[in-house]
Amino acid sequence: MIYSSEIFHAKSYYNLLDVQTGDFTEEVAEISYDKIPMLDKDSSVQLGSRALGALSTTDASLVSQFEVSDEEYSQINYQNNPVRVAPLLYGNIIKWFNNRSEGLPGYIIVNMVTQEASLVKLDEGMKYSTGEHFGRNLYRLLRFRYLTMMFGDVNFEIDEDGTPWWVCSRTVRRIGLFGGTDTEGAVLVNAITGESTYYEEVPTWVDRVYSADQLVVQYNYHGTLVNGWINSWLGQKGITTTSDGYNYIAMNDDVYLYTGVTSAGNDESNVGFILVNQRTKEARYYNIPGATEYSAMSSAEGAVQHLGYDATFPILLNISDEPTYFMSLKDSADLVKMYAMVNVTDYQITATGSSVAECQANYEELLIENGVKVTDPVEIVEKDTDTVTGTITDIRTVVVDGNTIFYISLGTEDYYAVSAADDPDTVIYDVGDEVTITYYLEEDDAEDTVESSEETGKTIWTGISVE
């Protein structure tokens, strides 16, 4: 064990995780409201338990025999949405005897965006799980089928069709006999049939192969052994470590581990942060100094201290090309009541809102007020105009956003759209009146201002005034 330690293999431990420097604004796209996870694990557990308890009036036998596994609740991407899933478990050994022939009837799925939790019932029950006994126990199944493999984390996931699987990560030692714990592929076990296959490269629907704790350990090797083992204890030149805590971000149909990176002194600021793909172990470091996650949480809680809400551990978002901590604010019952955004580089810029949209609007307003974001000047484009004279043969009106728009035809296939807000006198004209209409005309047959209707063959020009 001593020979396998980092004392003799500092470079090998350093290379366990290949960390590349990334560009935050280029690689982390702004996320839409319907993809931002609002819930942490504790809130998901609460909602999942309530979803099962709500069945007591319609399916009391199911509620009395089964319970939800609080230890699972894996965060995955399901049909391009961030969700947490957890299998049902037998209530006790007697209930296992009574129900083992049918298996576990389903699993809980919690949508982390809409905060909806539901029980998904299966046509055929799950007969292989960590809570089973004898030959159907997952760990025993793995041991008998894969005699020479070691296994690490076991995660419950569902594929895009909703079929439940156990993702069993294979553990290997990269350094010496006992050092450099790493993951090499995974065994996928169908929770219903027990069929299993080992994949060195897992299918793309799988989200969690490398555990968060393992990735944190490997980055800490990378950060502390950058200049050798002796430097990690004495000089500590260039040493970095992960900050306390981590969270998950859904990007590109994968789940990424997020954690801050701080210097050897472990002060109240981060020197950057990392994102690591939990399926491929692709790691990116972003050199963006700023507040630690717990400093941001304190800032968010201080903004609503009169309400006594607690902040969840933040996730990192790109808001207006600014790295931003996003977190939910929960009451004492673990229910989400508000949301907060805190700027990473200046945690004094803190915005809250009862909805994500309101929170973002308040946050972007603060960015402008503090000079972080500069509003784009309005570009005034001079357009060429032309006039046409004729007798009105058809005139129609429509109200758009409270403004009345008049569509006027002078006997041709062309219509001229004039807003009453631009020319109030338009309301006095009627069919048969001879008028002169001024309208915008760009070069190249007004390609930028003309819209053609495929159904009617009519051409609509943007008008300015009618005389």
Side-chain angles (χ1 to χ4, degrees):
M1 292 180 64
I2 294 175
Y3 174 74
S4 302
S5 68
E6 56 267 28
I7 299 175
F8 301 103
H9 303 280
K11 185 175 182 180
S12 297
Y13 277 92
Y14 169 81
N15 289 325
L16 278 175
L17 186 65
D18 182 19
V19 182
Q20 302 294 324
T21 301
D23 186 314
F24 178 78
T25 57
E26 292 292 332
E27 298 177 2
V28 182
E30 293 194 39
I31 191 171
S32 59
Y33 297 143
D34 60 346
K35 303 300 179 185
I36 299 177
M38 315 292 185
L39 301 174
D40 60 359
K41 182 178 179 180
D42 292 338
S43 297
S44 299
V45 170
Q46 290 281 356
L47 293 176
S49 298
R50 292 179 185 180
L52 182 62
L55 297 174
S56 59
T57 57
T58 58
D59 198 344
S61 61
L62 186 149
V63 178
S64 65
Q65 297 297 303
F66 303 95
E67 58 188 34
V68 189
S69 171
D70 294 347
E71 298 300 323
E72 295 295 336
Y73 279 96
S74 303
Q75 180 176 336
I76 63 172
N77 267 357
Y78 174 59
Q79 296 180 351
N80 206 26
N81 290 304
V83 302
R84 286 187 180 268
V85 289
L88 296 182
L89 295 178
Y90 301 103
N92 53 45
I93 188 66
I94 302 301
K95 295 174 182 179
W96 172 77
F97 271 111
N98 294 335
N99 298 279
R100 69 186 188 281
S101 60
E102 290 82 15
L104 299 170
Y107 53 85
I108 295 290
I109 182 169
V110 181
N111 190 308
M112 300 179 68
V113 177
T114 64
Q115 305 183 38
E116 297 177 353
S118 59
L119 171 66
V120 178
K121 291 186 178 181
L122 300 168
D123 296 333
E124 183 180 354
M126 295 183 287
K127 298 181 175 62
Y128 296 85
S129 71
T130 56
E132 282 286 352
H133 300 277
F134 306 113
R136 288 177 10 189
N137 179 273
L138 180 64
Y139 299 112
R140 184 163 294 170
L141 179 148
L142 292 173
R143 180 52 50 227
F144 282 121
R145 292 187 185 177
Y146 303 93
L147 298 176
T148 61
M149 288 188 182
M150 296 183 294
F151 292 95
D153 276 11
V154 171
N155 294 302
F156 180 77
E157 295 196 27
I158 57 176
D159 61 21
E160 296 303 302
D161 297 324
T163 303
W165 295 83
W166 294 99
V167 180
C168 313
S169 301
R170 180 192 178 189
T171 296
V172 295
R173 309 294 185 183
R174 302 286 188 195
I175 304 170
L177 292 176
F178 304 106
T181 303
D182 200 6
T183 296
E184 187 175 280
V187 172
L188 303 189
V189 180
N190 188 305
I192 298 174
T193 65
E195 296 177 355
S196 64
T197 305
Y198 169 68
Y199 294 91
E200 190 168 334
E201 293 185 7
V202 298
T204 55
W205 62 263
V206 175
D207 291 312
R208 297 167 68 97
V209 177
Y210 294 87
S211 72
D213 291 336
Q214 184 183 81
L215 294 176
V216 168
V217 168
Q218 290 191 358
Y219 180 81
N220 287 335
Y221 284 140
H222 184 88
T224 57
L225 299 175
V226 60
N227 290 310
W229 180 80
I230 295 178
N231 179 75
S232 69
W233 288 95
L234 298 179
Q236 296 190 331
K237 180 182 178 180
I239 285 181
T240 58
T241 60
T242 59
S243 58
D244 296 331
Y246 53 78
N247 212 326
Y248 306 101
I249 302 174
M251 293 192 312
N252 307 321
D253 201 28
D254 275 320
V255 175
Y256 287 75
L257 166 75
Y258 152 76
T259 184
V261 175
T262 187
S263 59
N266 198 23
D267 51 23
E268 291 300 314
S269 62
N270 286 341
V271 297
F273 55 88
I274 58 170
L275 295 178
V276 188
N277 189 312
Q278 288 195 272
R279 178 175 60 86
T280 65
K281 208 173 79 165
E282 177 187 2
R284 287 285 189 273
Y285 170 75
Y286 300 96
N287 184 23
I288 301 178
T292 63
E293 294 85 349
Y294 283 99
S295 297
M297 292 167 65
S298 297
S299 180
E301 291 170 351
V304 292
Q305 59 182 342
H306 59 291
L307 299 173
Y309 294 156
D310 295 323
T312 60
F313 194 86
I315 61 174
L316 193 72
L317 299 180
N318 180 357
I319 305 295
S320 297
D321 289 338
E322 283 291 315
T324 303
Y325 290 126
F326 172 82
M327 61 206 83
S328 300
L329 299 171
K330 304 189 300 182
D331 61 12
S332 57
D334 268 338
L335 297 178
V336 175
K337 295 297 184 181
M338 297 182 70
Y339 307 95
M341 290 183 179
V342 180
N343 189 269
V344 172
T345 56
D346 185 0
Y347 69 97
Q348 299 296 329
I349 302 177
T350 301
T352 61
S354 56
S355 66
V356 179
E358 179 186 353
C359 181
Q360 181 171 347
N362 295 336
Y363 177 71
E364 291 181 337
E365 184 176 344
L366 287 176
L367 291 179
I368 296 173
E369 291 178 0
N370 287 271
V372 178
K373 177 182 177 182
V374 180
T375 55
D376 296 328
V378 177
E379 182 180 359
I380 301 177
V381 179
E382 295 292 340
K383 296 182 179 180
D384 294 332
T385 61
D386 199 355
T387 59
V388 60
T389 301
T391 301
I392 298 177
T393 59
D394 187 19
I395 185 169
R396 307 179 188 183
T397 61
V398 65
V399 177
V400 179
D401 295 331
N403 296 320
T404 302
I405 308 295
F406 292 85
Y407 291 88
I408 302 172
S409 173
L410 303 182
T412 66
E413 295 295 324
D414 296 334
Y415 272 79
Y416 302 88
V418 184
S419 171
D422 295 333
D423 186 1
D425 291 340
T426 307
V427 300
I428 66 176
Y429 296 107
D430 203 347
V431 173
D433 292 336
E434 185 174 342
V435 295
T436 298
I437 301 176
T438 303
Y439 63 95
Y440 287 120
L441 178 63
E442 296 279 353
E443 295 180 355
D444 300 328
D445 296 328
E447 290 179 352
D448 295 332
T449 59
V450 180
E451 299 177 357
S452 297
S453 170
E454 296 181 357
E455 296 182 358
T456 64
K458 308 294 184 182
T459 301
I460 301 175
W461 297 74
T462 302
I464 305 172
S465 62
V466 184
E467 296 180 0

